[in-house]
Amino acid sequence: MMKRYVILLLTLVLFITVLNCKREPEKIIGVKIYEYEKDFDVLISKWKDMGINTAFVSKELAENSFFRQLLKENNIKTFLIFPVFYDPERLDQDSALYSVTNKGEIASEDWVEFVCPSRKGFRKIKAEEAAGLVRELQPDGLSIDFIRTFVFWEMIYPDRKAESIDIACFCDSCTGKFCKLNSIVLPDTCLTVIQKAAYILNNHSETWDDYRTGLIASMVKDIAEIVRSIKPDIKINVHAVPWRDEDFEGANISVAAQDMRKIAPYTDFISPMCYSQMVRRDAEWIESVVREMDGKAPRKILPSIQVSAGYHDDPYTVEDFRNSITSALGPPSRGVVFFSWTSFEKDPARREVIRQ
């Protein structure tokens, strides 16, 4: 009788232990895709052959109901890419929305142009826009892009001096709200944007950084809360500038205004855009970015890597690409996202690397 009791007890303990074991979540193998005009069935077939289980798609593609249905039928999760402070259409309609740099210039460089992050009306519009898209399209996730202050980070290389990088936003809305919030009175000599920016950066830099990172984190919070009120199980991803604390004297905070510790509570994933060739880094750098960010947002880091060379002629071979994948997938990474499908279409050899 006692032997039978012991066996039953051991069986029960084993059963409870198995139930309580936390299964390692499946790695996300994702791809960003912004436009596609070919056969969707062929596309999905290629993705399944490569092991792609998540698609990060533009609004234009997500609005195609046939494409959405195919993804669902093939168990490929859909994350809708949602740009926030990059909004050229609204800037065309109202140039007063432009973010302003510490040099007194509008925040525009090449194709990169940014809206001021403190405009309450614009922030409300963007949150409601996200809500409308989630209500209509019912994606598995929302991938929040351009959720930072102005910087063309893709063109900033390791030898760049920190002081040469513009900082935004110093428009009247931002500086006025900052001063009011912190009971700061600017000297009468601060008449121009350049003078106001210099005074704030020289005398209140830490408070200024806290204010700006708060603007970005609160925008993530506002969007996450409103879309979760519509679809409670939706996943939230945030695109991040791939800068570590040591890079450009803490430009992740002082320039991009992305504080991962502030952002993390509202997200399921944070996706640093680790485009190594683009920013003239190596594959090992990708792992260092993932590890540092994981220290601020544990178990949430999902690196994105480039598929082919971009912005300049430095080589990025198939072997470089393979090494980038290996580095991106190393612990504690949650997976990898490829930027972007267009590059795979142009170079089948890189598709074969994924398939292998």
Side-chain angles (χ1 to χ4, degrees):
M1 185 71 177
M2 179 62 69
K3 184 177 179 181
R4 183 180 178 187
Y5 173 77
V6 170
I7 292 173
L8 285 172
L9 182 61
L10 288 173
T11 302
L12 179 61
V13 169
L14 179 62
F15 179 69
I16 293 172
T17 301
V18 170
L19 283 180
N20 288 329
C21 282
K22 291 185 178 180
R23 183 183 173 190
E24 184 72 15
E26 180 185 22
K27 291 275 190 183
I28 290 175
I29 309 299
V31 64
K32 294 180 180 178
I33 181 166
Y34 298 90
E35 54 186 8
Y36 193 77
E37 298 179 354
K38 300 179 183 178
D39 190 317
F40 284 125
D41 286 298
V42 173
L43 176 66
I44 299 301
S45 177
K46 290 177 181 178
W47 283 1
K48 293 186 73 174
D49 186 52
M50 295 164 64
I52 300 294
N53 58 28
T54 309
F56 293 77
V57 305
S58 66
K59 177 174 76 75
E60 291 72 23
L61 268 181
E63 288 174 336
N64 186 308
S65 58
F66 177 70
F67 183 47
R68 293 201 312 274
Q69 184 61 31
L70 269 182
L71 291 172
K72 186 176 181 179
E73 289 173 359
N74 286 277
N75 297 313
I76 297 174
K77 300 294 184 184
T78 305
F79 275 67
L80 173 65
I81 299 173
F82 182 69
V84 180
F85 295 117
Y86 172 72
D87 196 332
E89 289 185 11
R90 283 197 173 85
L91 286 172
D92 284 343
Q93 296 167 5
D94 184 2
S95 61
L97 288 174
Y98 264 108
S99 185
V100 178
T101 73
N102 56 314
K103 293 179 181 176
E105 300 170 347
I106 63 169
S108 178
E109 182 179 353
D110 200 277
W111 60 270
V112 181
E113 49 187 5
F114 266 58
V115 173
C116 161
S118 70
R119 306 301 176 93
K120 291 180 70 173
F122 176 81
R123 291 166 66 97
K124 185 173 185 292
I125 287 171
K126 293 305 286 192
E128 291 174 348
E129 183 182 329
L133 289 170
V134 169
R135 186 179 293 109
E136 177 190 356
L137 304 177
Q138 292 291 305
D140 299 292
L142 188 72
S143 200
I144 308 176
D145 200 2
F146 296 100
I147 186 73
R148 61 178 194 267
T149 48
F150 168 73
V151 60
F152 193 2
W153 63 267
E154 296 95 331
M155 297 291 285
I156 296 177
Y157 308 130
D159 59 352
R160 182 81 171 265
K161 299 296 183 183
E163 58 270 21
S164 72
I165 305 174
D166 291 349
I167 300 174
C169 172
F170 287 95
C171 74
D172 289 341
S173 172
C174 282
T175 56
K177 290 175 182 176
F178 168 71
C179 289
K180 183 178 181 180
L181 183 65
N182 295 283
S183 301
I184 293 171
V185 178
L186 297 176
D188 293 339
T189 53
C190 290
L191 302 176
T192 67
V193 170
I194 295 175
Q195 290 169 334
K196 292 176 183 178
Y199 179 81
I200 290 171
L201 292 174
N202 289 332
N203 296 279
H204 302 283
S205 61
E206 289 186 10
T207 311
W208 176 246
D209 287 343
D210 184 61
Y211 167 71
R212 292 167 66 254
T213 55
L215 285 174
I216 300 307
S218 62
M219 189 74 238
V220 175
K221 177 177 181 288
D222 291 348
I223 292 172
E225 286 182 348
I226 195 169
V227 300
R228 283 173 174 153
S229 71
I230 296 163
K231 193 174 189 295
D233 63 343
I234 194 169
K235 301 298 183 183
I236 304 295
N237 179 50
V238 164
H239 298 213
V241 175
W243 286 347
R244 303 159 298 182
D245 291 341
E246 68 189 63
D247 296 325
F248 315 110
E249 300 179 14
N252 52 347
I253 300 296
S254 63
V255 176
Q258 288 185 322
D259 186 332
M260 298 307 153
R261 291 187 178 91
K262 288 184 178 181
I263 292 171
Y266 313 113
T267 70
D268 298 283
F269 304 102
I270 290 174
S271 187
M273 296 169 283
C274 298
Y275 305 152
S276 52
Q277 180 271 350
M278 197 178 292
V279 294
R280 292 181 165 148
R281 303 279 189 173
D282 57 21
E284 287 72 22
W285 163 81
I286 298 171
E287 185 176 356
S288 74
V289 171
V290 171
R291 287 189 176 279
E292 181 175 303
M293 287 194 179
D294 182 77
K296 301 170 184 177
R299 303 297 299 144
K300 293 188 176 185
I301 307 305
L302 176 63
S304 178
I305 65 172
Q306 67 188 104
V307 176
S308 59
Y311 280 110
H312 53 75
D313 296 328
D314 289 3
Y316 187 61
T317 65
V318 171
E319 191 59 30
D320 291 332
F321 175 50
R322 188 190 304 274
N323 291 337
S324 292
I325 298 171
T326 301
S327 186
L329 284 173
S333 168
R334 293 296 304 273
V336 65
V337 180
F338 299 110
F339 174 76
S340 64
W341 180 252
T342 303
S343 296
F344 280 127
E345 289 274 81
K346 294 176 181 177
D347 191 349
R350 296 178 193 247
R351 294 206 304 268
E352 180 62 18
V353 171
I354 308 303
R355 194 191 66 76
Q356 293 171 355

